[in-house]
Amino acid sequence: QVQLVESGGGLVQAGGSLRLSCAASGRTFSDYVMGWFRQAPGKEREFVALIDWYGISTYYSDSVKGRFTCSRDNAESTVYLKMNSLTPEDTAVYYCAAGRIFRMTAPMDYWGKGTLVTVSS
């Protein structure tokens, strides 16, 4: 089992920045690719970013590419999502997840409970 706990969400004005963190425990962190997903009110959960086991390669959704940066610290068993130039459309609950396959469409094995990001206009 892998336990994932997100933090760093909150209220921010449009154009602002936030950094989300996700702390992992329970298994060897570097055995997993790590992803960020989000679910806006009334919408389905969507893919945001994915990072490989060593933090070398990443994928981003088109909607966040160039604004969000995903990174990881394997020594700290933590994955980050730095979000810049936020817009109200980024308002959502953000979830981190752990999986085995470095592919955007691959299913993830473990999920955190999420952290809410609200962007005001």
Side-chain angles (χ1 to χ4, degrees):
Q1 285 284 346
V2 175
Q3 291 78 44
L4 302 171
V5 179
E6 302 94 337
S7 61
L11 176 64
V12 63
Q13 288 190 330
S17 299
L18 279 177
R19 189 180 79 158
L20 305 183
S21 300
C22 174
S25 61
R27 293 277 179 93
T28 303
F29 184 65
S30 58
D31 284 348
Y32 296 88
V33 303
M34 298 299 297
W36 288 95
F37 297 76
R38 67 186 182 185
Q39 186 167 18
K43 295 187 178 181
E44 293 187 352
R45 187 168 59 195
E46 65 173 356
F47 168 80
V48 174
L50 188 68
I51 190 165
D52 73 359
W53 301 265
Y54 305 107
I56 296 173
S57 297
T58 51
Y59 288 123
Y60 297 96
S61 68
D62 288 342
S63 61
V64 309
K65 197 174 297 181
R67 299 188 299 122
F68 291 11
T69 302
C70 184
S71 61
R72 66 188 294 163
D73 184 339
N74 285 351
E76 297 293 328
S77 298
T78 301
V79 62
Y80 303 97
L81 186 69
K82 180 65 187 301
M83 306 184 295
N84 296 325
S85 303
L86 287 162
T87 74
E89 288 69 37
D90 296 314
T91 295
V93 177
Y94 284 72
Y95 300 90
C96 76
R100 295 285 193 172
I101 301 171
F102 184 58
R103 189 172 71 232
M104 284 192 289
T105 56
M108 305 300 278
D109 298 320
Y110 301 100
W111 292 84
K113 294 185 177 181
T115 186
L116 177 62
V117 172
T118 303
V119 184
S120 63
S121 58

